[in-house]
Amino acid sequence: MDILQIVLLGVIASILYIIVKDMNSSLAFLIILVTGIIIFLVVVQHIATIFKLIETLGKKANIEGMYVETILKIIGIAYIAELGAGITKDAGLGSVSSKIELVGKIFILVLAVPIITALIEAILTFLPAA
């Protein structure tokens, strides 16, 4: 599926949602949910390619595997949290959506702490001792 097909799917789903939402709000939400899942599954294939590229670049640059793996996890958390927040927002649950976004940010911060620590330690080794 290329971008044109994905956009067309989104536009058709949006039109169906607008038509169906007054008659059956559950079905309208289901249309949006299924459309979001289809789009996500299509994009996951492309994301996997990007992950492989990042891993390859990390190996070429002799970056420790833990750091590359952590970065990939952070990217995954960001995308999953965004998808979940978007779906709950579409369902009219803005407060749940904001909680999902907050939890995603907290998980990203937790994963980033070792990288930040290593970065600070590397910077300190370059500074002259006082």
Side-chain angles (χ1 to χ4, degrees):
M1 240 187 209
D2 65 349
I3 187 67
L4 186 61
Q5 291 171 324
I6 293 171
V7 171
L8 189 60
L9 174 67
V11 169
I12 291 170
S14 298
I15 292 169
L16 285 173
Y17 174 80
I18 292 169
I19 293 170
V20 174
K21 76 176 179 180
D22 291 332
M23 295 181 282
N24 188 344
S25 60
S26 312
L27 180 61
F29 175 70
L30 188 61
I31 290 170
I32 296 300
L33 180 65
V34 170
T35 303
I37 290 171
I38 291 170
I39 291 172
F40 182 73
L41 291 175
V42 169
V43 172
V44 164
Q45 296 170 347
H46 297 288
I47 293 172
T49 305
I50 294 169
F51 281 1
K52 288 177 187 174
L53 176 65
I54 292 172
E55 286 178 349
T56 304
L57 292 174
K59 287 177 185 175
K60 285 182 181 179
N62 284 334
I63 298 174
E64 191 175 325
M66 179 194 82
Y67 298 128
V68 174
E69 183 180 319
T70 302
I71 290 169
L72 294 176
K73 284 181 183 179
I74 288 171
I75 293 168
I77 288 171
Y79 282 124
I80 291 169
E82 179 68 25
L83 177 68
I87 289 172
T88 53
K89 197 175 289 183
D90 289 343
L93 302 170
S95 63
V96 174
S97 173
S98 64
K99 303 304 184 286
I100 291 173
E101 290 172 346
L102 176 65
V103 168
K105 290 172 186 174
I106 290 171
F107 277 117
I108 288 171
L109 183 60
V110 167
L111 284 175
V113 167
I115 294 174
I116 294 169
T117 303
L119 179 64
I120 291 171
E121 288 174 355
I123 291 171
L124 290 176
T125 60
F126 292 118
L127 296 176

